[in-house]
């Protein structure tokens, strides 16, 4: 990065907050850290960050991070959000994305992965060109790396950033190409473990099936990875 970005970190555990601050320390990042929602929300009223990183449970507020995201929405300016949480139910993950999250990382978090995510995210959201049907090999799929949004048959796909990164691998390779397990892991900066790739692929398939219920284009290539196949005639 060739400029400074303002990051707000909201984490109620002092030790975890200190560890994240140390991991993200960089001349390119201006980080303000808070332990509870009210203090963070007051700061938002003064100045908006380029990125919000927040736990969901903040002190006695079980949905403190979600409430902070709702407050952020009132400014009607797109601010990317990364939620960090032990809560990993589909309900919580979907709720987080409905509130504007572009990633939802499980605790205990990998500090190295978080740092890479933050660096790449800020670079991409500031500088990335739009990827559309002219540069994707998949018909009826549109991707926008600038916002990490995707649409299928002109309807939005509900994806995490991790799932978007995996989908982008299929979209930028020719139909039928095998995307290896290693490629999928590398695309997510190591967030995805080898033994959880299938879970993420299942979530990808489900996202497509919500739009086209008969979707069956992502195929497992035993022992190698996955491939995107042409629809059957």
């Amino acid at each position: 990065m060739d400029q400074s970005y303002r990051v707000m970190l909201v984490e109620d555990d002092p030790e975890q907050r200190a560890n994240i601050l140390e991991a993200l320390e960089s001349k390119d990042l201006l980080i303000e850290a808070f332990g509870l929602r009210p203090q963070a929300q007051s700061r938002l009223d003064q100045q908006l960050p380029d990125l919000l990183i927040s736990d969901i449970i903040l002190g006695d507020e079980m949905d403190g991070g979600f409430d902070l995201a709702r407050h952020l929405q009132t400014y009607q300016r797109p601010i990317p959000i990364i939620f960090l949480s032990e809560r990993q139910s589909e309900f919580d993950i979907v709720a987080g994305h409905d509130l504007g999250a572009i990633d939802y990382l499980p605790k205990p978090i990998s500090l190295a992965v978080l740092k890479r995510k933050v660096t790449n995210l800020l670079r991409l959201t500031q500088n990335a060109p739009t990827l559309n049907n002219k540069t994707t090999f998949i018909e009826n799929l549109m991707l926008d790396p600038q916002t990490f949004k995707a649409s299928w048959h002109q309807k939005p796909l509900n994806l995490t950033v991790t799932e978007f990164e995996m989908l982008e691998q299929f979209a930028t390779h020719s139909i039928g190409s095998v995307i290896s397990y290693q490629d999928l892991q590398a695309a997510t900066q190591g967030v995805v473990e080898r033994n959880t790739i299938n879970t993420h692929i299942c979530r990808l398939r489900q996202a497509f099936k919500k739009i086209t219920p008969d979707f069956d284009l992502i195929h497992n290539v035993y022992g190698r990875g996955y491939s995107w196949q042409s629809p059957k005639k």
Side-chain angles (χ1 to χ4, degrees), residues 194-217:
R194 170 65 177 83
N195 60 354
T196 64
I197 287 177
N198 184 60
T199 299
H200 288 280
I201 292 294
C202 286
R203 289 179 180 173
L204 261 181
R205 288 171 174 150
Q206 289 303 314
F208 280 95
K209 285 183 178 181
K210 287 180 179 179
I211 299 173
T212 50
D214 60 347
F215 177 85
D216 185 28
L217 301 180

Side-chain angles (χ1 to χ4, degrees), residues 84-153:
L84 314 174
S85 183
E86 296 175 352
R87 289 161 50 175
Q88 289 295 302
S89 71
E90 182 177 2
F91 176 84
D92 284 321
I93 294 173
V94 171
H97 285 280
D98 286 343
L99 289 169
I102 61 170
D103 217 342
Y104 193 112
L105 301 181
K107 283 188 171 183
I109 64 170
S110 162
L111 294 174
V113 166
L114 176 61
K115 182 174 182 178
R116 182 65 61 83
K117 283 281 187 181
V118 169
T119 301
N120 288 351
L121 170 61
L122 290 173
R123 181 188 297 118
L124 287 169
T125 54
Q126 296 294 327
N127 301 318
T130 297
L131 176 66
N132 53 40
N133 278 339
K134 293 181 180 178
T135 53
T136 178
F137 288 97
I138 300 175
E139 186 178 3
N140 297 313
L141 177 69
M142 294 187 70
L143 304 179
D144 183 359
Q146 191 168 13
T147 60
F148 295 95
K149 300 297 184 183
S151 65
W152 176 240
H153 289 274

Side-chain angles (χ1 to χ4, degrees), residues 9-24 33-35 55 84 107-109 111 114:
L9 169 65
V10 190
E11 168 59 65
D12 63 339
D13 184 292
E15 183 176 352
Q16 292 187 47
R17 188 166 65 247
N19 289 340
I20 294 173
L21 279 171
E22 182 179 357
L24 296 182
F34 302 87
D55 195 356
L84 314 174
K107 283 188 171 183
I109 64 170
L111 294 174
L114 176 61

Side-chain angles (χ1 to χ4, degrees), residues 5-8 44 48-54 69 72 77-83 96 99-103 117-118 121-126 145-149 161:
Y5 295 93
R6 189 175 298 276
V7 177
M8 175 179 284
L44 287 177
L48 294 178
D50 296 305
L51 170 66
L52 170 64
I53 304 172
S54 181
L72 189 59
R77 173 181 154 190
I79 305 294
I81 302 170
I82 296 177
F83 282 123
L99 289 169
I102 61 170
D103 217 342
K117 283 281 187 181
V118 169
L121 170 61
L122 290 173
R123 181 188 297 118
L124 287 169
T125 54
Q126 296 294 327
Q146 191 168 13
T147 60
F148 295 95
K149 300 297 184 183
V161 167

